[in-house]
Amino acid sequence: MPELPEVETVRRGLAPVMEGACFAKVDVRRGDLRWPLPKDFARRLKGRTVTSVGRRAKYLLIDLASGDVLLMHLGMSGSFHVFRGGGDKALGRYHHERARHASHDHVVFHMSSSAIVTFNDPRRFGSMKIVAREKLDAEPLLRSLGPEPLGNVFDAAMLAAACMGKKTSLKAALLDQRVVAGLGNIYVCEALHRARLSPKRMASTIAGRSGAPNERAERLVEGIKAVLYDAIEAGGSSLRDHKRPDGELGMFQHRFRVYDREDQKCPTTGCRGVVKRIVQNGRSTFYCPVCQK
Ligand SMILES: [Zn+2]
């Protein structure tokens, strides 16, 4: 499932072809994604200009000059493909690529920039919704999301306060989108390894009794930010479904330190540990029992 770095990579691929362009035509082939698309979906987009392509956690937010926001989520297997128009070559490539994927191309945006943006989603857990910008704060999908981990306000004090008194594991706390938004299994494992903290440690132990952050909280925030920046720079991780909108693969899977590396040597300098896999809340956790305490 795409996590924050993969969605940010998608945002960066869509922004150059969508910002400043308008929707010339919106082709809905299958409206039954995770939730049915609204009946007026195409009508509310057609002819509207995109003012910005943003992101909140794992959601893409396409702001329109009309005051509406197109809210999109990739779900489990959703991906966008950009075909730049202008010339037979690009068009040929579009038709060729489409022939392979067409049955899963559920929504096709034809932009006035002559770019064609397709949303492909074999499992159809992705979603799209149009919300008025002024009602975005009350939007149920976004309302309960915790802080953006790469935002300026996210720091050790904020994370410690959210974990104060929590009797769950640190791993479970970081997967909780109300504590911090956008992290999933891969980047939680990687951030904990960078912070040298055990995924089994009680979440409450990164805060003092008053809720003040301790040194573990500082390390954890540093680890989270560092792994996300590195992953975005590498174009995200391509495990099963993630590709950048230009069709290129993300490369961060080659730089995992613990994720999916069971029985391999821990990459921490000077550590003689071996990466172990355990199951927490029904999902695999990868960590080094030697240097992660
Ligand atoms: Zn280690």
Side-chain angles (χ1 to χ4, degrees):
M1 176 184 259
E3 303 182 32
L4 188 153
E6 289 75 47
V7 180
E8 176 61 19
T9 303
V10 170
R11 189 196 71 75
R12 291 179 184 194
L14 296 182
V17 293
M18 294 186 91
E19 283 179 352
C22 78
F23 291 94
K25 186 180 156 202
V26 175
D27 194 1
V28 176
R29 298 186 181 155
R30 276 200 81 148
D32 56 337
L33 301 180
R34 181 167 190 170
W35 301 293
L37 290 183
K39 285 210 159 45
D40 59 353
F41 183 77
R43 191 177 54 76
R44 272 173 87 174
L45 296 179
K46 199 180 167 201
R48 305 300 186 184
T49 302
V50 173
T51 54
S52 76
V53 178
R55 180 188 57 75
R56 171 77 172 105
K58 301 179 205 172
Y59 289 91
L60 291 161
L61 279 74
I62 314 281
D63 262 282
L64 309 177
S66 62
D68 278 337
V69 179
L70 169 58
L71 192 61
M72 308 195 287
H73 195 283
L74 300 171
M76 307 283 284
S77 60
S79 62
F80 284 93
H81 302 265
V82 169
F83 300 92
R84 288 170 192 269
D88 291 345
K89 206 176 158 199
L91 201 63
R93 181 171 170 240
Y94 171 65
H95 287 300
H96 172 69
E97 289 276 324
R98 256 198 53 208
R100 288 193 318 187
H101 301 294
S103 64
H104 301 302
D105 280 351
H106 304 311
V107 182
V108 182
F109 300 122
H110 297 260
M111 305 307 295
S112 61
S113 60
S114 79
I116 297 167
V117 179
T118 63
F119 179 66
N120 187 281
D121 188 2
R123 298 178 68 179
R124 283 185 289 122
F125 279 103
S127 61
M128 294 187 187
K129 186 174 180 179
I130 298 175
V131 184
R133 169 50 73 175
E134 57 184 23
K135 290 184 180 158
L136 211 58
D137 286 344
E139 167 55 39
L141 293 173
L142 305 178
R143 203 173 40 198
S144 59
L145 288 174
E148 197 62 35
L150 294 179
N152 292 331
V153 297
F154 179 67
D155 62 8
M158 186 176 265
L159 185 59
C163 289
M164 183 178 67
K166 262 197 186 299
K167 298 291 176 231
T168 56
S169 67
L170 210 40
K171 164 103 189 280
L174 294 178
L175 285 176
D176 183 343
Q177 301 297 300
R178 294 165 298 184
V179 171
V180 55
L183 299 181
N185 211 27
I186 293 175
Y187 296 106
V188 166
C189 290
E190 292 293 311
L192 286 167
H193 182 264
R194 289 183 184 222
R196 303 189 312 280
L197 292 171
S198 169
K200 297 190 285 189
R201 169 182 282 284
M202 280 284 176
S204 57
T205 61
I206 66 163
R209 242 177 250 146
S210 61
N214 57 27
E215 182 259 347
R216 292 183 203 112
E218 303 279 356
R219 282 203 324 252
L220 187 49
V221 166
E222 265 175 44
I224 291 169
K225 291 190 187 242
V227 73
L228 294 177
Y229 279 125
D230 286 353
I232 290 168
E233 196 194 359
S237 305
S238 298
L239 290 183
R240 291 168 200 91
D241 302 299
H242 172 68
K243 268 190 191 176
R244 297 169 10 188
D246 59 6
E248 297 291 320
L249 292 169
M251 286 297 158
F252 195 68
Q253 68 278 14
H254 301 301
R255 290 165 59 188
F256 290 161
R257 297 186 185 183
V258 286
Y259 187 82
D260 212 13
R261 289 175 55 86
E262 187 178 10
D263 295 333
Q264 297 191 49
K265 197 183 164 301
C266 171
T268 299
T269 313
C271 177
R272 297 169 147 257
V274 168
V275 177
K276 192 176 169 187
R277 184 181 78 92
I278 56 171
V279 175
Q280 288 179 292
N281 305 97
R283 304 185 69 189
S284 290
T285 298
F286 298 89
Y287 78 113
C288 171
V290 177
C291 66
Q292 289 180 252
K293 295 294 180 193

